[in-house]
Amino acid sequence: AQTVTQSQPEMSVQEAETVTLSCTYDTSESDYYLFWYKQPPSRQMILVIRQEAYKQQNATENRFSVNFQKAAKSFSLKISDSQLGDAAMYFCAYRSTYGGSQGNLIFGKGTKLSVKP
Amino acid sequence: NAGVTQTPKFQVLKTGQSMTLQCAQDMNHEYMSWYRQDPGMGLRLIHYSVGAGITDQGEVPNGYNVSRSTTEDFPLRLLSAAPSQTSVYFCASRLGRAGTYEQYFGPGTRLTVT
């Protein structure tokens, strides 16, 4: 079974600085999707960025980018020019493309990011 | 489009009571799912459905029932609530099971069982 591990329960960053959130996963599959979700205090789950495992190029969405290391099974999220609105819980998630479990998201336990003004 | 809607937003139950958490989507999505979120545990899959009439269990299905009679609705039933079911529940939907379709989440239901 696949697992997702976020080893940093909490992180802190100064406004305008850069922060990297870590995520590792375990799978025997060669094709899959990886996601980062943001959950602000409103509880709403917001998709930040997605990566398809067959794509070697790292995904980027404005100030958010990932460092996808397939061999190392690592998928970190970099937030540049951090803003107060980035303060939230961040979840890394895995989705299989095979078999009965395809379509189901497997989440890490989350990293709580605080942004200091 | 209203997206994914969940009712109620908050609920308090006594141990042994039953209730149904409602979930609806108006995007004609085939795939729907229920997750629970507990502090320090992330989101865990309870049940999912790949279309009307088809449901299956996720990681933590015990104590919950689901059915999918229409494409739009995917209710989650607690037959006999227990304090261990105190959690925040999220419903989510996606156009299809496979592919890169984005998954849309509802706003969540905070359930407390006393």
Side-chain angles (χ1 to χ4, degrees), chain B:
Chain B
N1 285 349
V4 180
T5 58
Q6 290 183 239
T7 54
K9 286 188 167 50
F10 301 93
Q11 182 71 48
V12 179
L13 287 179
K14 292 188 185 325
T15 298
Q17 286 185 319
S18 63
M19 80 158 297
T20 299
L21 306 185
Q22 301 291 345
C23 174
Q25 51 87 13
D26 60 357
M27 298 173 282
N28 202 31
H29 285 177
E30 289 295 322
Y31 177 87
M32 296 185 74
S33 53
W34 276 102
Y35 292 85
R36 61 176 288 172
Q37 181 180 15
D38 302 298
M41 294 295 294
L43 280 77
R44 293 180 292 168
L45 183 66
I46 304 172
H47 285 285
Y48 65 98
S49 169
V50 298
I54 307 169
T55 63
D56 206 346
Q57 297 180 350
E59 179 186 355
V60 288
N62 291 343
Y64 307 96
N65 278 356
V66 292
S67 60
R68 183 106 178 264
S69 56
T70 67
T71 298
E72 295 76 21
D73 300 297
F74 190 44
L76 179 72
R77 297 183 188 86
L78 285 70
L79 297 180
S80 179
S84 60
Q85 294 177 304
T86 294
S87 189
V88 178
Y89 292 85
F90 288 95
C91 180
S93 75
R94 195 166 71 242
L95 184 59
R97 183 178 196 174
T100 60
Y101 305 117
E102 182 173 346
Q103 181 138 314
Y104 294 84
F105 285 85
T109 295
R110 180 177 292 278
L111 175 67
T112 302
V113 183
T114 60

Side-chain angles (χ1 to χ4, degrees), chain A residues 1-4 25-35 52-54 68-74 93-106, chain B residues 97:
Chain A
Q2 296 83 18
T3 58
V4 176
Y25 58 94
D26 189 27
T27 184
S28 58
E29 299 171 344
S30 59
D31 196 17
Y32 45 86
Y33 302 108
L34 295 165
F35 306 86
E52 292 149 21
Y54 68 87
F68 173 49
Q69 301 288 330
K70 190 173 184 180
K73 297 178 183 174
S74 171
Y94 172 102
R95 179 154 70 87
S96 173
T97 61
Y98 301 113
S101 64
Q102 73 166 308
N104 300 336
L105 286 171
I106 300 169
Chain B
R97 183 178 196 174

Side-chain angles (χ1 to χ4, degrees), chain A residues 2-117:
Chain A
Q2 296 83 18
T3 58
V4 176
T5 301
Q6 294 179 250
S7 58
Q8 307 151 316
E10 294 188 24
M11 292 280 286
S12 179
V13 63
Q14 205 71 34
E15 196 175 6
E17 297 292 309
T18 295
V19 65
T20 298
L21 308 184
S22 300
C23 173
T24 58
Y25 58 94
D26 189 27
T27 184
S28 58
E29 299 171 344
S30 59
D31 196 17
Y32 45 86
Y33 302 108
L34 295 165
F35 306 86
W36 278 98
Y37 282 89
K38 172 184 178 181
Q39 186 182 45
S42 67
R43 270 196 336 231
Q44 184 66 46
M45 294 291 287
I46 302 165
L47 177 64
V48 174
I49 201 165
R50 93 182 88 202
Q51 175 79 41
E52 292 149 21
Y54 68 87
K55 290 186 178 179
Q56 294 186 341
Q57 187 172 5
N58 289 327
T60 299
E61 289 287 344
N62 301 315
R63 298 183 295 107
F64 298 87
S65 62
V66 298
N67 183 4
F68 173 49
Q69 301 288 330
K70 190 173 184 180
K73 297 178 183 174
S74 171
F75 183 60
S76 60
L77 175 70
K78 185 172 84 171
I79 306 174
S80 304
D81 185 25
S82 296
Q83 301 175 358
L84 295 178
D86 294 334
M89 197 75 168
Y90 286 82
F91 292 99
C92 179
Y94 172 102
R95 179 154 70 87
S96 173
T97 61
Y98 301 113
S101 64
Q102 73 166 308
N104 300 336
L105 286 171
I106 300 169
F107 286 88
K109 294 183 178 181
T111 296
K112 184 176 181 181
L113 177 68
S114 58
V115 181
K116 297 177 181 177

